[in-house]
Every structure is written in C-alpha cells, then in structure tokens.
Amino acid sequence: MNGFAAVDFEFARQVLQRGIAALFVVAFISTLNQFRPLLGEHGLLPATELLAWAHSSKRGRRLLHPTLFRHVRYTDRRLVALCAAGIVVATALVIGIPQLGPPWVPMLCFLALWLGYMSITSLGQTFYGFGWEMLLLEAGFLAAFLGSHAQPPPTVVIVLFWWLVFRLEFGAGMIKIRGGREWRDLTALMYHHETQPMPGPLSRQAHLLPAWFHRGEVVGNHFAQLVVPWFLFAPLLGLWVPGPVPAIVGAVAAAIVIATQLWLIITGNFAWLNWITVVLASSAIGVPGIGAAPGPPASDPPWIIDGMPLYWVVVTGAVGVLYLVLSWQPLHNLFAHRQLMNASFNRWQLANAYGAFGTVTKQRIEIVVEGTMDEDPTGATWHEYGFKGKPGDLRRIPRQYAPYHLRLDWLMWFLPLGRSLDDWFTTFLVRLLEADAPTLRLLAHDPFDGRRPRWVRAVSYRYRFTTHAEFRETRTRWARDRRRPVMGPVSLRR
C-alpha cells in the first residue's frame, strides 16, 4: 500500500469488480425466472399489495425500503425490463468495458445495479429475506468506488471490503458461539450436512464422514471465523512496516477464509453466500506488480494524489467517512449480548450485521405436497409434486444449484420450523389446484402434466441420509418415516 493508493491490490480489484458483477447477473436471472410467480401481479405474495399498503399509511412508507416502484407503478413487464437492464450492465462489468473509462463510469454502473436490485429486494418480503441479499447490495455499493484501470485501487475502499468480510465472518462466528450448544460441544456438523436447507451432490458423503472429522470441522470453522478475520487487516501495517510480511499475513488469512468457503460450496447449496464470500475475501490478496507501474504512483498535487485524481480521492474519502459513521452500530452488535443476525441499521442496507446458523436442527422434517385426480380423497391415489432442489424422491442425488437461488425450495425448508404455516403456502396450494403454469414452472415435476388435480394436501416426513449399508441394499439416498398430515386435503369449490 502507498498512502491513498493500494498499488498492490489490482488483482483484488479485478476479482471484486468482476466477481460481484457476475453474482449480480445470477441474482437478476434468478429474479427474472422466479419473481413473477412468487411476488408478481398474480404471485403468491403480490408486490402490488405491499406497495398499496405502503402508500396508504405513514408507517408503511417509513418501513418500505427504497425502491424505484415507489415512484413508478409496478407491473410484471417493468420488472422484466429492470432485470434485463441489470443483466446487461452487470455483464458489461464482468467483461470489463466500463472499467476502461474514467472511475465515475464503473461507479455509475455499480450504483445502478445496487439501486436496481434494492428496488427488487424491497418488494421481496419473505422470499427475499436472506442475508446474502443485503450482502450483495452492500458489496455492490462498495464496488462502485473501486475505480477503473486508469488509477490504482483506493486504499480506503479496499479496507472497507476487509471490514465487510470481518463483519460477515466474525459475526457468523460469534452467532455460533452464543447460539446452540452443538457449536460448543463440537457436534454441530454431525447434523448440519443432513439437515441444511438444500443439500448438494456431496452432502451425503460429507454427512457420513466419521465423528472425529466433524469435530475437526467445527474447530476449523471457529478458527476461520473467530481468529482469522483479525489478520485480514495486516496489510495496513505495510504503510509503516517495510517488507512483504504484512501482505503475506493478509493473503494467508484470505486463503483460509476462501478454503473454508470452498468446502461449504462443494457440500451445500447456499445460493451465492459462499461464492460472494470467496470474492470478498480476495480483497486481502495483494500481488505486487499486477496492473501497477513500477515504483510509487505518480503525484502532481493538488490535482493528482498517489496516482488518483483529486476528485476521486475526495469521493472515496467521503465513502470512508460515511462508513465510519455507519459502522458504530454493527461494531457494537458484534459484541452485544443479544447479537442481531442479518440486520440492517439503515434504509440503504449499508454496514449491515451478518451471521448464520446460530443453531443447527437435529432432524430434517420435509413437507411433501401431493395431489390426486380422484373424487373421494379418503381412498384416493396420491402423487407427489417434485421440487427442483429440496429433497423428495428418495433415490435422487441432490443437485448443485448454487450460486443460483431456488427461493421456493428454501422457503419450504423453513415451513416446519415455524409455529404455523405461512400465508403464501396456502396460496401456493391454490395455484396447484388451478394448475397455474407459472407456478408449476417453479417445480421439477408436475404429476398431472398441466391438468388440474381434484384435491391437494401437505404431509410431513422425517428425512435422513441412508447409511452405506442401506444404500447398497435399497439404492436410495434418503430414508423417510414419521409421516404426519400438515394440511388438507383441500380442493376448489365447484
């Protein structure tokens, strides 16, 4: 580092800008495919009703986060146009086109992505109530101030990315230490691979590893989240300590965070949470000589300072001051007795609190949705609807979908954890009775090939991975038992 310029962090900037933009592409594609049946004009939780409520009261206007649709009437077509524009802008950033211009060009592009996607998440209700939504927004905001190829990365923005990773990782570690006993007695990962919201292709193999390995996983997790994040700031010492040691310490800390996230990527399906953590952790990797001219950056005070135009030093400095003000609450939250998880302290979702899996469920309860064409539900033959990601078919290998986010499948995992069924689930069953085509496209299998069932119902089972011996005998990856009725049978009135 060299004063205002993080001259050795050009590699980090390239990874951050292109990686964050790529995840915006994924987020907008996910929204394009799923928002309308979930939250559109005829969705399970119509965004138009939320907007009408927000416009009808001062409290509603205050609680609704910023969205373009507060000023422009929401329609499904406008949602599609917003997603298409977001995909185009984000793709241009992945390619690197805006970065060829002055720094304000990629700044405007990333701010457009930030505001555009915030306009969507503000209407997303429970289907967008995940920590990685605000994480992507905050990362997109910070990426706006990384600059372009014409000048070195600003030191203050690189440090703010370290602060983001610290809040993400250390916050998650503190949530776990304060959470369920399983994180303290080192048994959490004896359950997690089996009971996580959406297992991946290798989740069963990970679950069947020996107990000593799972205990080691927990110890490694605590080390990576509670100890390592402090060393992400080591490169700052390079401003005063000569030699490569501070940069090496920061790079090693980043590598440890990345390694733990790669393990989570291959053993689970956490949308883009782990992927964006990998991208963000790369901010601590300083590689001398990549994209930087030899020697210190040129200065021509007052207009050029450490290779950056004066106006850009002022803009990035203002962002640093803004974060200095906004960071008090999340900093206090990290050490608070009642730590908040995935919480925003301001309307713009900057300097947020993060964390996940403070407790780990010990058994997996799956709600299975069934339908029948028979008139009498009592002795009917029932057929299961198949979901894309959540377990159902006992023989099917769980598929890898992350970083793509299957929102309906994730919400189905949360249903058994609540005290009552969410309102959207009742509407979902109605849509199945209507054989609503957009809703059916969210599923992997419609047993009635687009025809309307006479009845639908929901039942629950306890699912567990089969042992090696059980798999050799039955060729199934899952076993299920403890069947219980949840809702129905229900039908439409005729």
Side-chain angles (χ1 to χ4, degrees):
M1 288 187 165
N2 193 305
F4 291 101
V7 293
D8 294 335
F9 289 83
E10 178 61 30
F11 170 79
R13 174 165 67 180
Q14 294 293 332
V15 173
L16 288 167
Q17 288 181 323
R18 296 172 193 263
I20 292 169
L23 292 172
F24 267 113
V25 172
V26 174
F28 279 113
I29 291 176
S30 170
T31 296
L32 185 63
N33 292 337
Q34 300 175 68
F35 191 96
R36 285 168 289 171
L38 296 177
L39 296 148
E41 294 172 280
H42 304 288
L44 305 184
L45 293 174
T48 50
E49 294 183 5
L50 175 65
L51 287 166
W53 170 77
H55 286 300
S56 67
S57 66
K58 290 183 179 180
R59 181 173 178 269
R61 287 191 292 272
R62 186 175 65 254
L63 293 178
L64 182 66
H65 283 175
T67 173
L68 295 172
F69 295 112
R70 182 193 290 268
H71 310 287
V72 178
R73 185 173 66 89
Y74 173 89
T75 67
D76 286 347
R77 287 188 177 183
R78 287 172 178 164
L79 183 280
V80 170
L82 177 58
C83 290
I87 292 169
V88 170
V89 172
T91 301
L93 286 162
V94 173
I95 297 171
I97 296 174
Q99 294 93 309
L100 298 175
W104 56 264
V105 177
M107 179 190 75
L108 292 179
C109 290
F110 272 111
L111 290 180
L113 295 178
W114 172 64
L115 181 58
Y117 196 62
M118 189 187 304
S119 296
I120 293 168
T121 62
S122 295
L123 305 181
Q125 303 169 76
T126 188
F127 290 105
Y128 280 74
F130 298 91
W132 50 78
E133 309 287 4
M134 67 173 66
L135 178 59
L136 180 58
L137 287 173
E138 183 172 359
F141 177 84
L142 290 178
F145 303 98
L146 283 168
S148 61
H149 299 334
Q151 66 286 137
T155 297
V156 64
V157 179
I158 293 295
V159 173
L160 288 177
F161 272 106
W162 302 344
W163 170 230
L164 173 55
V165 179
F166 183 88
R167 281 181 281 123
L168 177 63
E169 287 295 285
F170 189 74
M174 292 299 287
I175 282 284
K176 293 179 176 66
I177 287 296
R178 294 187 175 114
R181 180 179 176 182
E182 62 273 10
W183 287 110
R184 296 186 294 277
D185 66 16
L186 308 184
T187 62
L189 291 174
M190 297 180 187
Y191 308 100
H192 167 77
H193 297 295
E194 180 178 76
T195 64
Q196 63 182 301
M198 211 166 74
L202 298 179
S203 297
R204 178 173 169 271
Q205 285 77 2
H207 174 70
L208 295 176
L209 290 169
W212 63 263
F213 184 89
H214 292 310
R215 294 183 186 276
E217 280 185 289
V218 179
V219 172
N221 179 88
H222 290 331
F223 177 74
Q225 292 191 323
L226 294 172
V227 178
V228 170
W230 296 92
F231 293 93
L232 294 171
F233 298 97
L236 274 177
L237 297 175
L239 294 170
W240 305 280
V241 179
V245 174
I248 292 173
V249 172
V252 169
I256 293 172
V257 172
I258 290 171
T260 59
Q261 295 301 313
L262 291 175
W263 174 245
L264 294 172
I265 285 172
I266 65 175
T267 59
N269 265 305
F270 294 98
W272 55 78
L273 174 61
N274 309 122
W275 295 80
I276 196 171
T277 306
V278 168
V279 170
L280 296 175
S282 300
S283 64
I285 300 177
V287 183
I290 293 186
S299 292
D300 184 17
W303 308 114
I304 303 295
I305 301 176
D306 291 340
M308 295 188 293
L310 176 62
Y311 79 88
W312 194 240
V313 174
V314 172
V315 169
T316 55
V319 173
V321 172
L322 172 67
Y323 257 78
L324 191 62
V325 173
L326 295 179
S327 292
W328 165 247
Q329 284 182 288
L331 176 62
H332 178 266
N333 180 70
L334 287 174
F335 302 98
H337 179 66
R338 295 187 176 181
Q339 180 187 356
L340 299 178
M341 181 176 70
N342 297 327
S344 179
F345 302 100
N346 55 79
R347 292 172 54 77
W348 301 98
Q349 300 185 63
L350 302 176
N352 307 308
Y354 300 102
F357 292 99
T359 59
V360 174
T361 52
K362 305 301 190 297
Q363 60 178 356
R364 180 178 204 95
I365 304 299
E366 287 289 343
I367 291 182
V368 175
V369 180
E370 302 173 328
T372 181
M373 301 294 289
D374 297 343
E375 288 294 324
D376 181 7
T378 305
T381 301
W382 294 89
H383 305 277
E384 293 184 17
Y385 287 89
F387 288 77
K388 293 180 180 179
K390 93 176 195 69
D393 182 356
L394 302 182
R395 293 179 178 271
R396 189 179 71 168
I397 300 175
R399 298 180 182 178
Q400 185 68 41
Y401 281 96
Y404 190 81
H405 187 191
L406 292 175
R407 301 177 186 280
L408 178 62
D409 296 63
W410 266 79
L411 265 291
M412 289 294 295
W413 180 82
F414 282 102
L415 278 181
L417 305 182
R419 295 181 180 179
S420 61
L421 293 177
D422 294 349
D423 292 341
W424 66 263
F425 184 67
T426 303
T427 307
F428 173 65
L429 295 184
V430 172
R431 293 289 187 270
L432 295 182
L433 287 167
E434 296 170 340
D436 178 64
T439 302
L440 292 174
R441 282 195 289 270
L442 296 174
L443 305 178
H445 172 62
D446 170 20
F448 307 108
D449 297 322
R451 294 173 297 157
R452 293 187 175 190
R454 181 68 180 85
W455 299 88
V456 295
R457 69 181 183 185
V459 297
S460 70
Y461 292 91
R462 182 188 67 167
Y463 270 64
R464 62 172 180 82
F465 280 130
T466 54
T467 64
H468 292 301
E470 289 172 325
F471 177 75
R472 286 192 295 269
E473 180 180 349
T474 64
R475 311 308 295 178
T476 58
R477 274 102 186 157
W478 294 98
R480 69 184 188 185
D481 57 11
R482 300 184 184 178
R483 179 186 178 281
R484 295 177 181 174
V486 174
M487 177 180 286
V490 295
S491 69
L492 297 176
R493 293 181 179 179
R494 294 186 177 182

